[in-house]
Amino acid sequence: MSLFRESSQGAWGSRWTFVAATAGAAVGMGNIWKFSALAGANGGAAFVVVYLFFVVMVSLPVLIAEVVIGSRGRANPITASRDLAREAGISKAWQTMGWLGCIAGLVILSYYSVMAGIGIAYIDEIFTGQFKDLSAAKVGAAFNTLLNDPKQLLIWHSVFLGIVMLVVSTGVERGLARTSRIILPVFIILLLIVVAYSMRIGDVAKAQAFLFDFDWTMITPSIVLAALGQAFFTLSIGLGAMMAFGAYMPDGRSIAGLLSVVVLIDTAVALLAGMAIFPLVFSMNIQPDAGPGLVFIALPYAFGHIEHGELFGGAFFTVVALVALSSGVALLEPAVAWLVERFKFRRIIATVVVGLLVWLLGFAALLSFSHWSDIRWLGMTIFSWLDFVSASVLLPLGGLLIAIFVGWRMREEAVRDEFYRDSGFIFVLWYWLLRYIAAPAVLVILLVPLYQYFLGADV
Ligand code: TRP
């Protein structure tokens, strides 16, 4: 599966295409919806600082490791991990890594599709000016009405998932990856404009204090776990999706350098989204921990109050939907690729089978905002459980396995091979971070909640 090796038009073209495609899979609802919701619910700065720390010290090394597996294995995650395990002479059980990843991808896609669907619903509402001059309370109420309307949610969830399935079943995702070259810059420019507006009409001082005034004592184990989960989620790592992008690696480029750029873009988008959303949140007197919908309340309000807000806001949510689409495709693809390769399914059949499963899970997720809001276990709804299990458990677990596999099980020369353009120092630094920081840190963080739960201990 060499996508760009055959088609690289000049060094710059292939390099930027690789970065854009990889960043396209990383940037998505996670950066806008999830980042703002988590930062809001977890005390702002405490979350943001721990999150940034994990991104650099844990996620970037794991992202590089994941792409290394892909560029060496050149297959779907399950096959790639099996083949590389064979190469390293270790147990075939390592393909569980691929398994776990496919499942995590499908679980994430289920509720991801619900949120992206809401984004699509807003395109039309904003274009048609339904938020024009609405008060903050009314915008909030409109969002709640939508959440409590399972029929609407189901329609939009189906629309989003349907498009994702269409792209995956026709196998045009290579084309889609290339379109990230256009979508991503447009998205960032629109986001910058929203930030500028938000700074003008929002409460910047409060937002800044909330997001960046850091105090050690605010950090708790649950914030640490949430930040770790988000650091994995936002970079799309831990489930093998990024392995596919290993095959995009243009020849003769620095793997660490290019992926650092991807991380920079993804982090910048999250922080910009925070700077767009929180000044509005504070000026509208919404509680920052108001739940999943900060972005869907703050931004429509802003678009309702600025000149040409309908056009601009409509365009903004259109681009958000496109950015979410490239993530959705990367979430569905590993499982489909596996069914096709392993069981010789036709691509379309594989997509329908897996897609149906995701659709049902998403259906359950969206019902937990209304009819099923009372179905809870340990206080969490179905939606929260899907989110928690995938983002806070499966992704870090997948990341841990990737870190151990590449850091401790693969032969060092085999790994070194994929780094032929990076200086010895960069390789050694990365290898060290992966082995001694990333892997142990994830292990400890994953064990703490278990320890708390089973021993009832207060850590
Ligand atoms: N990073 C994506 C986002 O921020 C979501 C995501 C998580 C993802 N894991 C993934 C996307 C794997 C593609 C593949 O929106």
Side-chain angles (χ1 to χ4, degrees):
M1 194 171 70
S2 83
L3 302 185
F4 287 87
R5 299 214 162 159
E6 78 241 12
S7 67
S8 56
Q9 328 91 358
W12 191 81
S14 64
R15 186 172 13 166
W16 173 227
T17 305
F18 171 76
V19 169
T22 315
V27 172
M29 301 302 292
N31 302 62
I32 27 189
W33 153 63
K34 208 154 189 250
F35 175 77
S36 57
L38 283 172
N42 289 297
F47 174 85
V48 173
V49 169
V50 179
Y51 159 80
L52 290 176
F53 175 81
F54 283 143
V55 164
V56 177
M57 302 296 280
V58 178
S59 298
L60 176 58
V62 172
L63 171 62
I64 296 174
E66 204 173 316
V67 172
V68 163
I69 295 182
S71 71
R72 204 164 175 83
R74 300 208 174 272
N76 69 71
I78 297 180
T79 311
S81 36
R82 191 197 55 210
D83 292 352
L84 290 190
R86 197 177 288 150
E87 182 189 60
I90 56 176
S91 160
K92 259 181 31 194
W94 276 98
Q95 52 180 302
T96 348
M97 192 161 75
W99 259 106
L100 264 181
C102 286
I103 294 171
L106 301 181
V107 175
I108 291 178
L109 183 57
S110 70
Y111 64 88
Y112 196 83
S113 170
V114 173
M115 295 321 275
I118 297 181
I120 299 182
Y122 271 50
I123 296 175
D124 180 56
E125 298 204 4
I126 295 180
F127 262 138
T128 53
Q130 298 193 22
F131 293 102
K132 192 99 201 113
D133 296 326
L134 279 196
S135 68
K138 286 230 170 91
V139 182
F143 177 65
N144 275 326
T145 311
L146 181 59
L147 274 191
N148 278 298
D149 187 346
K151 241 200 238 139
Q152 283 290 317
L153 291 182
L154 186 63
I155 291 174
W156 297 115
H157 161 53
S158 309
V159 167
F160 180 79
L161 191 61
I163 300 175
V164 169
M165 287 167 64
L166 199 72
V167 173
V168 171
S169 68
T170 51
V172 298
E173 64 267 19
R174 293 177 191 189
L176 188 81
R178 289 210 186 91
T179 60
S180 291
R181 290 163 63 147
I182 304 158
I183 298 171
L184 212 54
V186 172
F187 175 58
I188 292 174
I189 292 170
L190 291 182
L191 189 58
L192 279 169
I193 302 176
V194 183
V195 172
Y197 273 125
S198 157
M199 297 220 152
R200 224 179 53 208
I201 61 178
D203 190 336
V204 182
K206 258 201 192 153
Q208 256 170 6
F210 180 72
L211 284 176
F212 303 114
D213 272 358
F214 174 65
D215 173 2
W216 282 103
T217 58
M218 289 157 46
I219 299 180
T220 64
S222 68
I223 289 184
V224 171
L225 184 62
L228 181 74
Q230 176 65 2
F232 277 87
F233 187 95
T234 189
L235 290 176
S236 305
I237 56 175
L239 58 76
M242 283 301 183
M243 291 179 194
F245 291 87
Y248 287 55
M249 263 311 288
D251 279 330
R253 292 293 156 196
S254 142
I255 190 169
L258 293 187
L259 290 176
S260 301
V261 176
V262 170
V263 169
L264 218 65
I265 294 176
D266 186 80
T267 309
V269 170
L271 292 177
L272 282 175
M275 278 150 57
I277 294 166
F278 284 100
L280 296 165
V281 165
F282 286 109
S283 73
M284 293 162 74
N285 276 323
I286 308 174
Q287 286 303 318
D289 59 355
L294 285 186
V295 57
F296 296 117
I297 299 174
L299 295 189
Y301 172 81
F303 296 135
H305 284 80
I306 60 186
E307 217 180 317
H308 305 305
E310 309 90 75
L311 254 175
F312 182 63
F316 182 80
F317 273 99
T318 305
V319 178
V320 165
L322 288 173
V323 173
L325 180 62
S326 55
S327 292
V329 168
L331 283 165
L332 187 59
E333 175 62 25
V336 169
W338 180 67
L339 285 183
V340 170
E341 254 172 67
R342 178 73 174 73
F343 297 106
K344 308 280 173 257
F345 271 54
R346 283 175 52 205
R347 193 159 246 280
I348 172 108
I349 309 270
T351 310
V352 170
V353 170
V354 186
L356 217 59
L357 212 83
V358 173
W359 184 79
L360 281 173
L361 264 186
F363 196 0
L366 66 86
L367 281 175
S368 64
F369 293 123
S370 49
H371 297 323
W372 288 1
S373 62
D374 287 336
I375 304 184
R376 283 167 192 262
W377 187 51
L378 299 174
M380 288 181 1
T381 62
I382 298 175
F383 188 99
S384 318
W385 271 107
L386 292 172
D387 183 8
F388 175 77
V389 167
S390 55
S392 294
V393 180
L394 292 178
L395 291 189
L397 196 61
L400 177 64
L401 292 178
I402 289 167
I404 297 177
F405 185 76
V406 176
W408 293 94
R409 306 305 291 166
M410 276 174 75
R411 282 181 303 112
E412 187 174 337
E413 312 87 78
V415 179
R416 186 76 183 85
D417 253 11
E418 302 299 320
F419 272 78
Y420 61 108
R421 278 289 155 170
D422 290 286
S423 71
F425 173 72
I426 298 266
F427 175 76
V428 170
L429 178 66
W430 165 77
Y431 205 49
W432 189 86
L433 277 177
L434 187 70
R435 294 173 66 136
Y436 298 110
I437 302 290
V442 176
L443 187 64
V444 170
I445 295 165
L446 275 175
L447 289 180
V448 168
L450 282 182
Y451 176 75
Q452 277 178 314
Y453 180 71
F454 286 111
L455 297 178
D458 206 13
V459 185

